[in-house]
Amino acid sequence: MQDRPTLTPTQINEELLWPVFSFRRRHAIAFIPPMILLMGGVAAVTILVYQGLWVTGLARPAFWGFFIVNFVFWIGVSHAGTMISAILRLTQAEWKRPITRAAEVMTIFSLITSLLHPVIHAGRPWRIIYWLLPYDFSRGIWPDIRSPLVWDPIAITTYLTGSVLFVFTALIPDFALIRDQSTGLRKKIYGQLALGWRGTPRQWKLQGIFGLLMSALILPVFVSVHSIVSWDFAVSVVPAWHVTVYAPYFVIGAVHSGVSMVLTLMALMRWIFKLENYIWEDHFDAVGRLLIVIATLWLFFFFLDFAFSFYTREEQELAVMERRLFEWPFNAITVIMVFTSYIIPIPLWLSRRVRRNIPLMFWTSILVNIGMWLERYFLIIPAIERKQELTFLWSNYVPSLIESLVVLASFGMVGFLLLLFAKFVPLVPAWEAKEGVVFREDVQFGQVVLPGIIKETEEENVW
Amino acid sequence: MADNKDLMGVFADTDTAAEGARQLKSAGFTSDDYDVLTGNPYPEGAFGEHVKKNRLFVFALSGSFIGFAIAFLFTAATQTAFPIVTGGKPILAIPAMIIIMYEMTLLFAMIFTVVGVIFESRLPRPGGEGPVYDTRITLGYIGLIVTTTEDRLEKAEEALKAAGAEDIVRESS
Amino acid sequence: MQKTDGNEVVIPGAPATQEDLTQELLHDSLQTGSRMRKALLISGVLSILGFVGLIMHFASGSSDHTTWNFYAVVYFYVFSVTMGIPMASIGLRMARAQWRRPTSRSAELFAIAGPINLIFFIPILLVAPPIEGRNSLWMDWALAPWFPDIIMMVLLVVTGLAFLYVSLLPDLASVRDHGIGRAQRIATILSRDWNGTKSQWSIHKSALGILGAFYITAYAMTHLVLATDFAMTLVPGWKDPIFPAFHAVTGIQMGTALLIVTMYLLRRLGGFGRYFELEQFWGYSRLLLALSLFYFYFWWCAFILFWYARLPHEQAVVALFISGDYADPSVFSRPQFLMFLGAIGFSFFLPLLLLMWNVLRRSIVGPTIVGVIILIGGFFDRMRLYANAWSVDQVGGHGLEYIPEINAPTISDLFVMVGMISSILFLYLLVSRVVGFVSLWETRQALLLRFVKPWGVGHVSVVIKPE
């Protein structure tokens, strides 16, 4: 356990708060790549709005393309935040501490990014205003709540609201910390945000209960969001979409890509913000172990979906499978997807040496997300290309440059927002880092020192 | 008890703060007379403090009922107000309503939970951090705040100093 | 967390010392008292009923699978419950939950039900209709479904027994060294040359990890093939890829429920109160709550698609398993609907409404009551699935054309049920005469890995998590 330094509160404050109080070169340089991607995206969307949807590759019957695939992908990534922080809070896993906030914030930003996609996809985004507002009280026409396209915004709004509240409430103690360390206008602003936080045992206790209660409340939302996104496809009668396993399959795929993205983020945070004292190799090890389980579950659901597409041997479904398995480019996509999201990373992660090798974990986590992006493409596009019963209504969707630029820009946008966020609050919760130090208890066992944790308990007898 | 005053002893570490709590107890103060300020959570009761019960679950529960009711009314009323059959489903399509009721139940439960946490934490405090506060708390110092009548303040200060308080912060009158 | 006695701080101790463990788990619990003798005798005698029931079934001469519908219900109920229990223990072991240590043995001992499940599986294979003309995963393979299914079954049972044996090994050695009588002789043979050397422990640890992973895989795959070949295939037009996962998860749910009930019984009747404490019940009740939510989620994922898309062949599946025949005007005279109400009420709604209260979740009686409820709900659920699916006599076709009548259960089905449960109980108790209901080595380790120490003016407990 040589890589677990013991830190003083002052040291924690200094090491975690420097991006807030100063703007160093490494932080500034990190802004460059996402900004380039983002600008490309802004240009592409401008052209799209000016020229119309013909600049995309969308054509009958495939009217859902890259934008929708990317929408589903980012909704998926947003699942990591809650998954990591809620499940780890509920199971009281000690290693959650440095990861939770970054993961939750990533949830918010990827949700916002994904929400942009249907808007861009509409082609004339300003019209969305007319569709949504004013609410038609006078004519008494209401949204059809039987449509999954109504369930979807409700679920995503719930999730976004919940995540924002979750992050904000857990931020209050850190706002107070910045308030106490600063002067002038900054002190005033953070003082307002901290709501007058003092740090009494009651306040801390409520923070603890809040973490558990909110996790228990947000977990069902998190499962429902991606389930409902999957029902956008699955409740229709499109062959290969109308599959009962879609909901859990989408959810577990989302968790797989999201947790891998957290891994990528952890490595980047460690490099950009010099967080070696907080994000340890142990954390990569733990996330890696978790990912083995998640990826294997994902594989199981993938297998269920795959195997049962041959179960009834219906022609349309077989046509979709034929396209997925034998026709260019889907044959390549299928192979790359299976290799990058399971066959390459998982055997590597089985080795403890690899799990503790941060550059290797960084690159394998990126591989997983390449695979998971392709998986969404694999699931959504071939089905819609072969939707009609008559073969002369079949089409092959070819994405355009404009669409690709928007996809790239979405990565830039999430990165940009995260870096911007890091300028204002620490990405690693300072109070949780300090709590971790207080609750740590290394125990000498013969000649080894083992890590222990202090547990509060009310029972007389504990095992 | 309007004439009660606050007095805070600032301690550099856990051991002296725990000693401070012991000294206060032996000086006749009970766990209701003092409170603790820390920069991060400590094991509950580490300084012998007494945390009163909270009613957070009441907030979550009432929020979920409100959300459920709103969603039920919204879905039922809009469907009956404009009764048009879509996809061969009944006008009051219960499974579809359940999905929206589920989301709204949880949404309102979450909002009310956050309101509850802020309310039960006695936040927001309009006057900032309160009468006695020290910015060193967020640097890892521990504050013991005694709230008592003016005549007993002296006694409390003695106890805190005896335990090794680095500093004593008094409420400005 | 603190108990203050005036100004004196009383620090609570561990529930037992290492000497207590040796005395209780190695000596006291291996004494066979008169009550245990009686239980062994009764369960042993009742075991015979299972075979009597089987013979009666075959003697009735019907090879029509619709008359075996309740046999399938009983079989898949017992199979799901008993093979699901080790999953709870293996999962928690992988998650490195410390509190599960005193309870793992009583969960893993249920792997001993494997051979019983294997024997009673044979009639299922014999009477299940062939796959010709039906939807199937096996692509008209001539050996399917019996060949792959029996392979999966054997794999699951053998993996379970191997896992059990490895986890027993250190305790067998203790019985070999300190036990008496027949238990000691059996332990001597089984423990082989286990001495507890560093390398043996290290192999032991990896073996448990690998066998655990194998068990999980075999469990999922066995449920996949069984649920498909003996339920889904029988109903034309029923394509439901989530059903195998539902089947597997409900198995774990029922298993966890039975484990909680077992813990309660061992606490009350066996005097193992200090090993099955509030913490253990609390931990398992949280797991049970999560699994009950999964029950609903997996069921709903299939239901919402069938309900939404309104395809005729899927409407028929909904009628068969959920709503009953639409032609019958009163929903409450449709047996399918009543079975469904029992299943979802006892497997999801009641457990959720009870377990969402912290007071009930964090108690010993609360989870036990919910455990019993879920065991009842699980039976309803297996009845809903198998009694209905096995009543279908239509072969092939795009969808189910009519909702079949359900053949009533016979006395032989009851005999089979009593017999299967008794024989599993008999084996469970019999093995417990050699190694006991609570693992000595795991509980010893639990004691090492946790202690209470003074902190501030109170005390805290410290949990050590080794790699």
Side-chain angles (χ1 to χ4, degrees):
Chain A
M1 302 306 118
Q2 67 289 352
D3 55 346
R4 296 180 169 206
T6 306
L7 304 161
T8 64
T10 320
Q11 194 183 355
I12 292 175
N13 288 347
E14 274 168 17
E15 290 179 354
L16 291 182
L17 293 180
W18 70 258
V20 178
F21 291 104
S22 60
F23 191 52
R24 291 191 196 161
R25 199 164 53 186
R26 51 194 315 125
H27 194 177
I29 292 171
F31 267 106
I32 296 173
M35 275 175 80
I36 293 172
L37 291 176
L38 199 52
M39 283 190 305
V42 171
V45 173
T46 312
I47 294 170
L48 171 73
V49 168
Y50 190 70
Q51 299 266 327
L53 275 176
W54 72 269
V55 298
T56 66
L58 300 171
R60 199 167 54 145
F63 279 120
W64 282 3
F66 257 25
F67 295 145
I68 301 298
V69 171
N70 211 33
F71 162 76
V72 177
F73 175 78
W74 281 109
I75 293 275
V77 168
S78 78
H79 280 54
T82 330
M83 154 78 199
I84 284 275
S85 71
I87 291 191
L88 299 185
R89 271 177 218 267
L90 287 179
T91 54
Q92 296 172 358
E94 189 58 20
W95 53 272
K96 70 169 195 292
R97 294 187 192 285
I99 311 171
T100 47
R101 180 170 301 156
E104 285 160 14
V105 171
M106 196 178 74
T107 293
I108 295 174
F109 293 147
S110 45
L111 270 178
I112 292 171
T113 307
S114 78
L115 275 178
L116 277 181
H117 284 79
V119 177
I120 299 169
H121 174 80
R124 299 173 187 177
W126 59 93
R127 285 239 167 154
I128 288 212
I129 301 294
Y130 296 129
W131 297 330
L132 295 178
L133 297 166
Y135 223 71
D136 204 342
F137 282 91
S138 53
R139 282 186 298 167
I141 299 174
W142 307 93
D144 182 5
I145 56 108
R146 296 176 208 111
S147 165
L149 298 183
V150 172
W151 307 341
D152 208 357
I154 291 180
I156 294 175
T157 316
T158 302
Y159 191 43
L160 186 58
T161 315
S163 303
V164 169
L165 291 174
F166 204 170
V167 171
F168 174 76
T169 313
L171 263 174
I172 295 176
D174 277 0
F175 285 143
L177 169 64
I178 302 175
R179 170 197 69 196
D180 288 355
Q181 308 299 310
S182 55
T183 50
L185 182 64
R186 185 181 275 145
K187 190 179 181 76
K188 266 197 190 134
I189 294 171
Y190 282 98
Q192 290 299 319
L193 288 170
L195 303 174
W197 173 272
R198 282 153 60 86
T200 60
R202 184 186 178 84
Q203 290 176 337
W204 287 122
K205 182 166 188 182
L206 280 160
Q207 270 286 341
I209 300 173
F210 169 77
L212 290 176
L213 184 57
M214 198 69 172
S215 302
L217 289 172
I218 212 164
L219 263 183
V221 178
F222 130 86
V223 174
S224 78
V225 170
H226 221 57
S227 300
I228 289 174
V229 168
S230 84
W231 293 333
D232 286 347
F233 308 98
V235 295
S236 69
V237 291
V238 176
W241 277 1
H242 186 62
V243 183
T244 53
V245 81
Y246 250 37
Y249 177 31
F250 267 52
V251 172
I252 195 73
V255 172
H256 186 28
S257 75
V259 177
S260 303
M261 193 75 100
V262 169
L263 213 52
T264 316
L265 187 64
M266 278 160 59
L268 287 174
M269 275 162 65
R270 200 178 135 112
W271 293 329
I272 298 172
F273 298 109
K274 291 192 147 301
L275 294 174
E276 289 86 352
N277 285 342
Y278 305 88
I279 302 173
W280 306 329
E281 284 162 0
D282 291 6
H283 294 114
F284 286 87
D285 191 352
V287 177
R289 280 199 313 254
L290 182 66
L291 268 172
I292 294 173
V293 176
I294 292 169
T296 308
L297 267 176
W298 170 81
L299 192 73
F300 179 63
F301 281 106
F302 171 77
F303 175 73
L304 282 179
D305 180 40
F306 188 83
F308 277 88
S309 55
F310 300 103
Y311 182 70
T312 49
R313 282 168 272 180
E314 277 168 23
E315 274 170 42
Q316 268 171 289
E317 199 140 337
L318 292 181
V320 174
M321 286 318 279
E322 192 184 326
R323 177 135 177 83
R324 280 178 181 165
L325 295 179
F326 301 113
E327 289 175 26
W328 179 262
F330 285 93
N331 47 7
I333 285 176
T334 308
V335 171
I336 296 173
M337 170 193 109
V338 175
F339 270 83
T340 51
S341 54
Y342 199 88
I343 295 176
I344 299 173
I346 304 305
L348 281 174
W349 291 343
L350 284 176
S351 141
R352 189 180 134 93
R353 278 240 307 282
V354 173
R355 287 199 306 267
R356 303 177 85 84
N357 179 333
I358 293 166
L360 210 51
M361 289 306 273
F362 174 74
W363 290 111
T364 44
S365 70
I366 286 182
L367 271 190
V368 170
N369 266 310
I370 293 173
M372 292 313 290
W373 199 95
L374 293 176
E375 189 231 19
R376 306 306 149 98
Y377 195 70
F378 163 94
L379 286 176
I380 294 168
I381 304 299
I384 204 167
E385 288 175 340
R386 300 286 178 268
K387 184 169 105 179
Q388 316 292 340
E389 266 180 70
L390 301 171
T391 46
F392 60 78
L393 279 172
W394 288 5
S395 76
N396 294 340
Y397 164 74
V398 181
S400 73
L401 176 67
I402 298 285
E403 287 170 286
S404 313
L405 282 175
V406 173
V407 168
L408 288 176
S410 65
F411 288 84
M413 180 163 167
V414 174
F416 176 77
L417 289 173
L418 274 169
L419 286 169
L420 200 64
F421 182 83
K423 181 73 196 84
F424 297 104
V425 269
L427 277 178
V428 171
W431 65 271
E432 286 212 52
K434 291 175 194 167
E435 187 189 19
V437 175
V438 170
F439 279 70
R440 207 172 96 195
E441 176 84 27
D442 288 342
V443 182
Q444 184 86 31
F445 252 105
Q447 296 190 2
V448 291
V449 178
L450 291 176
I453 330 160
I454 289 175
K455 279 251 156 92
E456 292 157 283
T457 129
E458 284 156 28
E459 281 101 57
E460 290 273 313
N461 298 331
V462 283
W463 285 102
Chain B
M1 294 199 277
D3 53 345
N4 270 2
K5 285 249 175 205
D6 284 1
L7 175 96
M8 177 166 74
V10 183
F11 293 88
D13 56 55
T14 321
D15 292 339
T16 48
E19 181 56 31
R22 269 185 224 110
Q23 292 280 354
L24 282 176
K25 284 241 163 108
S26 54
F29 293 93
T30 67
S31 54
D32 290 324
D33 292 336
Y34 69 93
D35 206 351
V36 190
L37 295 189
T38 53
N40 56 271
Y42 276 82
E44 207 185 319
F47 307 104
E49 79 279 5
H50 174 63
V51 179
K52 289 199 191 94
K53 277 208 156 181
N54 64 74
R55 289 174 302 263
L56 195 56
F57 75 98
V58 178
F59 284 86
L61 207 63
S62 45
S64 59
F65 280 122
I66 292 169
F68 183 85
I70 289 177
F72 177 76
L73 290 175
F74 170 77
T75 49
T78 54
Q79 297 310 291
T80 43
F82 196 81
I84 185 168
V85 174
T86 50
K89 293 169 192 60
I91 295 295
L92 283 181
I94 293 165
M97 287 164 69
I98 285 176
I99 290 177
I100 290 173
M101 291 190 290
Y102 174 89
E103 296 296 337
M104 298 287 263
T105 305
L106 288 164
L107 174 65
F108 278 79
M110 287 192 296
I111 292 174
F112 273 66
T113 303
V114 171
V115 171
V117 167
I118 291 174
F119 178 80
E120 290 273 321
S121 301
R122 308 289 179 255
L123 295 174
R125 295 168 67 100
E129 304 88 81
V132 287
Y133 187 72
D134 194 301
T135 53
R136 276 175 295 178
I137 298 297
T138 41
L139 285 177
Y141 283 62
I142 293 161
L144 282 186
I145 300 184
V146 185
T147 307
T148 185
T149 48
E150 203 123 7
D151 51 313
R152 288 178 76 195
L153 278 178
E154 201 77 2
K155 209 171 162 191
E157 189 173 338
E158 258 172 42
L160 292 173
K161 276 192 175 152
E166 288 212 349
D167 217 341
I168 300 288
V169 183
R170 284 178 200 80
E171 188 177 349
S172 51
S173 46
Chain C
M1 69 162 201
Q2 63 170 22
K3 293 276 175 296
T4 41
D5 181 21
N7 278 334
E8 280 297 298
V9 177
V10 180
I11 297 174
T17 60
Q18 299 283 11
E19 291 74 38
D20 291 345
L21 294 183
T22 312
Q23 181 60 33
E24 281 194 8
L25 300 180
L26 201 52
H27 301 302
D28 297 354
S29 81
L30 294 184
Q31 302 282 338
T32 307
S34 67
R35 200 158 52 178
M36 178 59 84
R37 250 178 250 284
K38 236 181 264 171
L40 275 168
L41 189 70
I42 294 172
S43 61
V45 170
L46 287 179
S47 303
I48 301 164
L49 272 187
F51 297 98
V52 174
L54 257 187
I55 292 165
M56 282 165 69
H57 246 307
F58 278 113
S60 69
S62 174
S63 61
D64 178 7
H65 75 274
T66 58
T67 61
W68 286 78
N69 56 354
F70 273 91
Y71 180 84
V73 172
V74 167
Y75 176 75
F76 284 104
Y77 177 65
V78 176
F79 165 80
S80 303
V81 175
T82 49
M83 300 314 272
I85 299 185
M87 284 289 286
S89 146
I90 291 168
L92 291 169
R93 192 188 285 275
M94 285 192 161
R96 297 179 187 182
Q98 298 293 317
W99 54 266
R100 55 105 204 147
R101 287 182 187 277
T103 68
S104 283
R105 169 64 43 79
S106 48
E108 284 154 9
L109 270 186
F110 273 97
I112 207 75
I116 305 288
N117 282 315
L118 200 56
I119 292 170
F120 283 85
F121 183 53
I122 295 164
I124 296 271
L125 287 173
L126 292 177
V127 297
I131 57 171
E132 277 96 54
R134 297 169 190 272
N135 291 331
S136 165
L137 282 178
W138 303 115
M139 305 279 161
D140 302 328
W141 183 19
L143 298 180
W146 65 270
F147 179 69
D149 289 10
I150 201 110
I151 296 267
M152 282 317 304
M153 228 13 220
V154 170
L155 208 62
L156 178 68
V157 169
V158 170
T159 317
L161 291 177
F163 184 85
L164 175 64
Y165 174 68
V166 174
S167 100
L168 288 182
L169 206 48
D171 281 4
L172 285 172
S174 310
V175 177
R176 172 195 67 197
D177 296 344
H178 303 285
I180 43 162
R182 202 179 301 150
Q184 197 250 351
R185 284 198 295 279
I186 295 171
T188 310
I189 300 167
L190 289 175
S191 64
R192 304 183 63 83
D193 54 353
W194 176 273
N195 299 318
T197 61
K198 188 93 188 147
S199 70
Q200 279 181 337
W201 278 111
S202 143
I203 293 169
H204 184 253
K205 192 179 159 195
S206 358
L208 282 181
I210 293 166
L211 285 170
F214 265 129
Y215 190 84
I216 293 174
T217 317
Y219 178 85
M221 294 317 278
T222 310
H223 272 271
L224 170 65
V225 294
L226 295 193
T228 315
D229 289 339
F230 301 109
M232 214 189 296
T233 300
L234 302 184
V235 182
W238 185 19
K239 179 199 161 188
D240 187 357
I242 203 175
F243 178 63
F246 171 85
H247 206 273
V249 164
T250 49
I252 304 174
Q253 185 204 18
M254 289 187 257
T256 310
L258 181 57
L259 177 58
I260 292 177
V261 175
T262 310
M263 275 160 50
Y264 183 78
L265 292 176
L266 286 174
R267 204 183 140 85
R268 290 303 298 271
L269 303 175
F272 287 98
R274 65 162 59 149
Y275 306 98
F276 306 121
E277 264 290 344
L278 184 60
E279 196 189 6
Q280 281 70 35
F281 280 86
W282 189 36
Y284 279 113
S285 70
R286 278 181 294 183
L287 185 63
L288 202 57
L289 177 61
L291 288 166
S292 303
L293 293 174
F294 268 111
Y295 174 98
F296 183 78
Y297 177 58
F298 281 8
W299 170 78
W300 177 265
C301 286
F303 170 74
I304 190 76
L305 256 70
F306 291 172
W307 174 83
Y308 198 96
R310 313 243 134 193
L311 295 170
H313 64 276
E314 290 178 353
Q315 299 272 49
V317 172
V318 171
L320 183 67
F321 293 116
I322 296 171
S323 66
D325 198 345
Y326 302 115
D328 190 340
S330 161
V331 284
F332 291 104
S333 62
R334 304 173 187 169
Q336 292 88 351
F337 185 66
L338 296 178
M339 288 175 190
F340 167 70
L341 273 192
I344 200 154
F346 287 105
S347 290
F348 170 66
F349 282 110
L350 270 180
L352 174 72
L353 289 177
L354 293 173
L355 286 181
M356 64 186 251
W357 302 104
N358 206 13
V359 198
L360 277 178
R361 200 166 62 235
R362 195 167 184 174
S363 69
I364 288 171
V365 183
T368 312
I369 292 171
V370 176
V372 173
I373 289 174
I374 286 176
L375 286 175
I376 297 169
F379 189 75
F380 270 111
D381 196 59
R382 290 299 179 255
M383 188 155 73
R384 162 180 96 93
L385 296 167
Y386 287 95
N388 287 320
W390 280 61
S391 296
V392 174
D393 51 8
Q394 179 192 336
V395 182
H398 185 62
L400 191 61
E401 276 146 21
Y402 59 93
I403 306 299
E405 291 285 316
I406 302 167
N407 284 321
T410 58
I411 188 80
S412 52
D413 294 320
L414 184 71
F415 280 3
V416 170
M417 182 149 176
V418 173
M420 274 187 88
I421 292 172
S422 307
S423 48
I424 288 166
L425 179 67
F426 177 70
L427 281 182
Y428 191 85
L429 295 179
L430 204 63
V431 177
S432 81
R433 295 306 83 217
V434 183
V435 284
F437 296 107
V438 176
S439 168
L440 185 60
W441 70 270
E442 293 221 66
T443 319
R444 272 199 202 292
Q445 201 180 356
L447 211 54
L448 279 178
L449 293 177
R450 203 155 193 185
F451 59 90
V452 177
K453 67 162 211 166
W455 211 95
V457 301
H459 65 266
V460 290
S461 80
V462 177
V463 184
I464 300 149
K465 291 207 173 182
E467 277 294 313

